[in-house]
């Protein structure tokens, strides 16, 4: 049995990263030009890594399935990026960001990785400002901050509701500089379909040119996976429809352990689904919870009228509204962490208080924020006795300046003006905290194979705090991997070019071609989407926001049966040697069908509630925390790292015991 070695440096937590950097092996500039690195995925993690590695002098091959790195799903991130700069003077620090992240993740993350993340967070902002990222600024021209869920300080830097897009453009510009210099060779519209191992080390990949269908071999001294999360295992999610888990799952099948797959985040502020024929869901930034108040009617009869469209929310009197997050969690109110807010919304809707036709929606209301800002502006402008309309106009202008593009997006989708009618929101699958297991160096259990950003498991435990995804992606890409990969590559300076005409490349290419030929030639009855939707329904119903033993066992059996049916009856039109989106989807859904079963197995194995993983058998029965998640630190304070052994049901569990030396393990309370 393999033993997990996290390779966390010795010494005090505040000194670990500095001491580590002082003592690792380096590659001198003259040798870097002889070393090749493959980076798969060019979102924030992959783009920043590719740009930085090329800047250092390595030869980088970067792969993106989109037509440009600018199209990576990182572009969709809205609300902001965390950094412990304490610009607001409200008591923030590296330690507080570290503490909030570990607590927010319900004490299921590795302390050393999280402290390093907090430590380098401030550098990210400086790097991005230097790249020209247009962060919001206050009236004096200084960078502005806002608050996000699960914290008591304002540490989130933002660019309106387009933070991901602006940060990605910064990374993309850094990449373009290296592409022009010839240090990055860019492969757009290419999908990695397998990793190649030689003598136990990752030495290259097999990729498909998505335009021509050509299968290509690419070699390197190290391979970096930065392909994001696996939220689309649910079919309906806030992820782009092309987001997939194929690269991560392929490396899992070649020896990289997969950690904590059941740790998946349900985001509380998404536009509710409207029927059975949607292909994805749309995120509304968590930053809206700074000023929006979440409520449902107090009276069941009012909820029924709203569901039938007989009344409007503005007709419900203030005293007949239940601001349930403010009622239950007075210390944090509407800014509780995502998992807490999501479960609370589900509980109210399950009790019959949902406010749209499906009964699966709550209100996010900006009326009081508009009034508050309007009165404040009237005083600033010395307007005495302002009319209600004047207060509304002044307040609306402030809200529009802060969130205007988000409101515009909501109105285009829902066809309602959110300034006048409260937004409707409901939880949706968003982010995956689980992923490929990595050590402190961000290396997987395969030598020379690294995994960064959302694709790995390392920083968020059982629940990610808002605005921390962009922080982790850029920390890994700009400031962590470029150091840690050098330590490994220092032993590769005499290796020379890796040839691709070897039996290992032959075998990997044959496996890829055989699978493609199967899909093209299989005379099935149903489309790929038919199976993906069925998988998504099983996952949402039985492995969704709330899980129990009976449902998880049913899910495992149902997913296995669905997978068997898929391989018999899937139909993929078109050919292999052409642009064929259905063929692309077939391979991705085949991987989801395996990952989904392991996901449910992991959820069944973890018989506790923590973060985004909520087991109905494990809740507090009494006291102030009654009804809240009940963690079991005695038995489950570990990372569950699964080793591939064939069928998902044959996977072997390895445990990395988590140690908490700098933060006290205690009940997570936001009351």
């Amino acid at each position: 049995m393999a033993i997990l070695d996290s390779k966390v440096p010795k010494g005090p937590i505040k000194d670990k990263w500095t001491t580590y950097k002082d003592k690792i092996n380096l590659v001198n500039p003259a040798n870097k030009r002889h070393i090749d690195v493959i980076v798969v995925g060019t979102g924030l993690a992959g783009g920043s890594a590719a740009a930085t590695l090329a800047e250092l002098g390595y030869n980088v091959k970067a792969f993106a399935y989109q037509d440009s790195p600018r199209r990576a799903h990182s572009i969709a991130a809205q609300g902001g990026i965390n950094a412990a700069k304490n610009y607001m003077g409200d008591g923030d620090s590296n330690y507080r960001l570290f503490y909030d992240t570990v607590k927010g993740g319900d004490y299921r993350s590795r302390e050393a990785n999280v402290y390093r993340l907090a430590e380098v967070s401030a550098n990210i902002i400086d790097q991005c400002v230097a790249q020209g990222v247009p962060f919001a600024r206050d009236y004096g021209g200084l960078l502005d901050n806002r608050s996000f869920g699960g914290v008591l300080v304002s540490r989130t830097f933002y660019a309106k509701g387009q933070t991901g897009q602006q940060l990605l453009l910064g990374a993309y510009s850094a990449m373009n500089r290296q592409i022009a210099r010839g240090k990055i060779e860019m492969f757009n519209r290419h999908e990695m379909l397998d990793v190649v191992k030689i003598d136990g080390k990752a030495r290259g990949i097999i990729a498909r040119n998505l335009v021509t269908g050509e299968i290509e071999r690419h070699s390197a001294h190290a391979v970096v996976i930065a392909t994001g999360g696996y939220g689309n295992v649910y079919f309906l999610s806030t992820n782009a429809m092309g987001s997939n888990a194929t690269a991560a799952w392929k490396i899992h099948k070649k020896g990289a352990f997969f950690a904590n797959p059941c740790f998946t985040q349900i985001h509380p502020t998404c536009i509710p689904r409207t029927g059975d024929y949607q292909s994805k869901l749309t995120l509304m930034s968590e930053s809206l919870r700074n000023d929006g108040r979440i409520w449902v009617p107090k009276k069941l009869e009012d909820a029924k009228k709203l569901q039938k469209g007989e009344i409007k929310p503005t007709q419900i009197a203030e005293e007949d509204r239940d601001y349930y997050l403010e009622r239950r969690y007075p210390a944090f109110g509407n800014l509780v962490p995502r998992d807490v807010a999501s479960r609370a919304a589900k509980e109210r809707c399950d009790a019959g208080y949902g406010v749209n036709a499906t009964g699966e929606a709550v209100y996010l209301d900006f009326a009081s924020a508009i009034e508050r800002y309007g009165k404040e502006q009237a005083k600033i402008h010395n307007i005495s006795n302002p009319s209600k309309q004047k207060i509304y106009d002044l307040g609306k202008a402030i809200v529009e300046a802060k969130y205007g593009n988000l409101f515009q997006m909501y109105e285009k989708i829902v066809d309602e003006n959110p300034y006048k009618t409260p937004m409707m929101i409901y939880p949706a699958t968003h982010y995956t905290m689980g992923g490929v297991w990595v050590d402190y160096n961000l290396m997987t259990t395969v030598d020379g194979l690294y995994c960064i950003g959302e694709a790995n498991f390392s920083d968020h435990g059982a629940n990610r705090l808002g605005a921390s995804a962009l922080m982790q992606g850029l920390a890994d890409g700009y400031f962590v991997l470029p150091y840690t990969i050098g330590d490994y590559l220092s032993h590769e300076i005499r290796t020379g070019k890796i040839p691709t005409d070897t039996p290992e490349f032959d075998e990997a290419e044959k496996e890829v071609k055989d699978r493609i030929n199967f899909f093209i030639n299989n005379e099935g009855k149903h489309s790929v989407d038919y199976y993906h939707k069925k998988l998504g329904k099983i996952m949402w119903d039985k492995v969704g926001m709330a899980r129990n033993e009976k449902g998880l066992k049913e899910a495992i059996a149902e997913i296995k049966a669905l997978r068997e049916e898929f391989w018999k009856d899937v139909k993929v039109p078109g050919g292999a040697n052409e642009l064929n989106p259905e063929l692309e989807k077939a391979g991705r859904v085949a991987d989801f069908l395996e990952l989904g079963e392991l996901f449910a197995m992991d959820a069944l194995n973890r018989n506790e509630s923590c973060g985004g993983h909520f087991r109905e058998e494990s809740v507090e029965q009494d006291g102030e925390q009654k009804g809240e998640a009940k963690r079991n630190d005695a038995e489950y304070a570990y990372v569950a790292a699964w080793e591939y052994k064939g069928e998902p049901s044959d996977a072997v569990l390895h445990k990395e015991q988590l140690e908490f030396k700098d933060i006290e393990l205690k009940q997570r309370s936001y009351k």
Side-chain angles (χ1 to χ4, degrees):
M1 179 180 279
I3 297 171
L4 294 171
D5 180 5
S6 64
K7 295 186 172 68
V8 171
K10 306 289 185 206
I13 197 164
K14 63 183 178 58
D15 299 329
K16 286 184 190 294
W17 180 230
T18 302
T19 306
Y20 172 90
K21 288 189 294 181
D22 288 344
K23 295 183 177 177
I24 57 170
N25 294 313
L26 302 175
V27 182
N28 86 41
N31 285 329
K32 283 175 182 157
R33 69 175 73 105
H34 302 302
I35 291 179
D36 304 321
V37 181
I38 284 172
V39 179
V40 184
T42 53
L44 282 181
S48 59
T52 308
L53 291 170
E55 185 83 42
L56 288 170
Y58 298 108
N59 305 311
V60 177
K61 287 184 174 182
F63 293 80
Y65 74 77
Q66 299 94 342
D67 53 5
S68 163
R70 288 181 62 178
R71 304 268 291 177
H73 188 57
S74 300
I75 201 172
Q78 298 166 350
I81 176 169
N82 289 330
K85 278 189 168 289
N86 196 30
Y87 279 179
M88 308 302 281
D90 55 0
D92 203 7
S93 65
N94 286 349
Y95 181 84
R96 190 171 287 278
L97 175 50
F98 160 61
Y99 173 82
D100 286 344
T101 305
V102 173
K103 177 187 174 186
D106 220 350
Y107 305 92
R108 290 293 175 264
S109 46
R110 190 190 289 150
E111 274 194 343
N113 286 62
V114 180
Y115 193 90
R116 176 176 65 187
L117 176 66
E119 218 177 328
V120 304
S121 65
N123 300 339
I124 299 169
I125 305 305
D126 298 338
Q127 170 97 357
C128 295
V129 169
Q131 290 173 339
V133 173
F135 285 121
R137 294 178 182 266
D138 66 17
Y139 69 96
L142 302 175
L143 295 182
D144 199 11
N145 288 141
R146 58 189 177 201
S147 187
F148 257 61
V151 304
L152 294 172
V153 297
S154 294
R155 66 163 66 100
T156 304
F157 295 78
Y158 63 99
K160 262 197 165 180
Q162 307 168 353
T163 313
Q165 181 182 32
Q166 299 303 327
L167 292 172
L168 188 63
L169 289 173
Y172 178 62
S173 65
M175 281 186 74
N176 267 345
R177 179 169 178 268
Q178 300 307 322
I179 291 169
R181 292 178 64 218
K183 294 304 290 181
I184 293 179
E185 189 178 358
M186 190 68 226
F187 293 87
N188 295 324
R189 303 297 284 139
H190 280 67
E191 182 168 25
M192 170 188 154
L193 294 180
D194 211 346
V195 67
V196 179
K197 282 167 58 179
I198 300 175
D199 296 329
K201 294 181 177 181
R203 291 304 199 193
I205 66 169
I206 305 296
R208 179 173 182 266
N209 181 322
L210 297 179
V211 177
T212 66
E214 183 183 356
I215 303 300
E216 302 174 3
R217 303 179 182 192
H218 298 275
S219 67
H221 297 89
V223 176
V224 180
I225 303 300
T227 50
Y230 48 91
N232 275 352
V233 71
Y234 285 91
F235 184 70
L236 281 181
S237 82
T238 65
N239 289 282
M241 289 172 66
S243 296
N244 64 85
T246 287
W249 195 248
K250 295 304 186 199
I251 68 170
H252 170 57
K253 294 176 85 164
K254 285 292 178 75
F257 292 2
F258 208 95
N260 299 336
C262 76
F263 287 167
T264 310
Q265 181 163 86
I266 312 293
H267 197 293
T269 44
C270 301
I271 297 178
R273 68 178 184 90
T274 54
D276 295 329
Y277 296 96
Q278 278 182 251
S279 53
K280 76 176 299 293
L281 296 168
T282 304
L283 172 71
M284 299 305 295
S285 169
E286 182 175 312
S287 62
L288 295 170
R289 290 200 277 147
N290 271 295
D291 286 312
R293 299 177 71 196
I294 295 171
W295 65 275
V296 293
K298 284 182 180 176
K299 299 175 184 173
L300 207 53
E301 56 265 33
D302 285 343
K304 298 300 178 195
K305 288 177 183 176
L306 287 166
Q307 290 165 16
K308 293 174 184 173
E310 295 173 358
I311 59 171
K312 294 183 181 295
T314 47
Q315 294 174 251
I316 296 178
E318 187 70 17
E319 61 270 19
D320 292 328
R321 301 179 178 191
D322 177 16
Y323 295 95
Y324 57 89
L325 290 179
E326 297 171 31
R327 169 171 58 82
R328 293 183 189 178
Y329 309 102
F332 284 75
N334 296 295
L335 285 174
V336 291
R338 291 174 175 179
D339 60 318
V340 177
S342 293
R343 282 196 297 275
K346 181 180 187 296
E347 185 277 327
R348 287 290 78 199
C349 291
D350 287 352
Y353 293 90
V355 297
N356 69 346
T358 66
E360 293 180 346
V362 298
Y363 286 126
L364 181 63
D365 196 336
F366 284 82
S368 60
I370 290 171
E371 184 179 353
R372 183 177 74 253
Y373 284 129
K375 288 178 178 176
E376 184 182 274
Q377 288 299 303
K379 286 185 177 177
I380 290 170
H381 293 96
N382 204 24
I383 302 171
S384 57
N385 297 321
S387 65
K388 277 191 173 183
Q389 186 60 44
K390 186 65 177 175
I391 289 171
Y392 172 82
D393 291 342
L394 291 168
K396 182 191 171 197
I398 298 297
V399 170
E400 192 169 5
K402 292 177 80 171
Y403 311 111
N405 63 310
L406 296 170
F407 278 56
Q408 185 182 40
M409 184 172 75
Y410 179 89
E411 187 166 5
K412 281 181 180 293
I413 293 170
V414 181
D415 196 25
E416 278 188 352
N417 181 346
Y419 294 102
K420 301 207 165 180
T421 303
M423 283 185 186
M424 287 185 292
I425 57 167
Y426 193 70
T429 305
H430 177 55
Y431 186 91
T432 54
M433 288 75 65
V436 178
W437 185 91
V438 293
D439 61 19
Y440 190 74
N441 301 316
L442 304 181
M443 192 192 286
T444 70
T445 43
V446 175
D447 283 350
L449 182 58
Y450 291 79
C451 190
I452 61 176
E454 187 182 355
N456 75 30
F457 88 101
S458 69
D459 292 338
H460 306 296
N463 174 59
R464 177 175 68 77
L465 292 180
S468 287
L470 306 185
M471 174 176 63
Q472 186 212 343
L474 292 182
D476 286 356
Y478 282 138
F479 298 109
V480 180
L481 180 76
Y483 276 103
T484 63
I485 201 170
D487 190 43
Y488 172 79
L489 293 173
S490 66
H491 304 290
E492 298 290 331
I493 57 176
R494 292 184 180 86
T495 302
K497 203 81 175 166
I498 307 291
T500 58
D501 56 347
T502 64
E504 291 86 354
F505 273 93
D506 292 343
E507 185 182 345
E509 182 176 323
K510 182 179 182 302
E511 283 180 25
V512 166
K513 285 183 172 177
D514 287 349
R515 192 182 213 201
I516 287 171
N517 290 333
F518 169 83
F519 285 133
I520 294 299
N521 297 320
N522 195 50
E523 294 297 323
K525 296 183 293 205
H526 298 297
S527 69
V528 176
D529 277 350
Y530 170 86
Y531 292 102
H532 198 179
K533 286 177 182 177
K534 281 197 160 193
L535 172 64
K537 180 159 177 53
I538 296 168
M539 293 296 295
W540 183 252
D541 290 347
K542 295 176 180 179
V543 204
M545 268 194 279
R547 303 155 184 179
N548 58 57
E549 182 180 359
K550 178 176 176 288
L552 290 169
K553 286 179 175 176
E554 289 172 356
I556 291 167
E558 287 172 22
I559 294 168
K560 187 170 186 174
L562 184 66
R563 186 168 67 252
E564 290 171 0
E565 184 190 336
F566 170 85
W567 286 105
K568 285 179 192 167
D569 266 346
V570 70
K571 181 172 180 60
V572 178
N577 302 315
E578 61 184 8
L579 179 66
N580 189 342
E582 287 302 305
L583 177 59
E584 296 167 33
K585 284 196 290 186
R588 296 166 187 171
V589 172
D591 295 330
F592 279 139
L593 283 163
E594 293 181 355
L595 171 56
E597 186 178 336
L598 183 68
F599 186 134
M601 275 178 55
D602 187 48
L604 180 63
N605 172 74
R606 189 171 286 276
N607 191 15
E608 65 162 351
S609 291
C610 59
H613 170 63
F614 187 76
R615 284 289 295 268
E616 292 174 355
E617 302 94 337
S618 187
V619 295
E620 296 292 345
Q621 298 299 322
D622 46 39
E624 190 188 55
Q625 292 292 107
K626 185 176 180 181
E628 299 294 327
K630 185 178 182 180
R631 237 178 33 240
N632 181 348
D633 296 327
E635 296 180 77
Y636 295 100
Y638 62 76
V639 176
W642 296 90
E643 181 183 5
Y644 181 78
K645 289 291 185 182
E647 285 284 310
S649 56
D650 299 329
V652 174
L653 173 63
H654 301 270
K655 299 177 183 178
E656 178 197 341
Q657 294 297 330
L658 293 169
E659 295 182 351
F660 295 91
K661 296 177 180 176
D662 291 84
I663 290 179
E664 180 191 355
L665 267 174
K666 59 184 180 182
Q667 193 170 49
R668 190 174 60 138
S669 174
Y670 293 94
K671 290 181 181 289

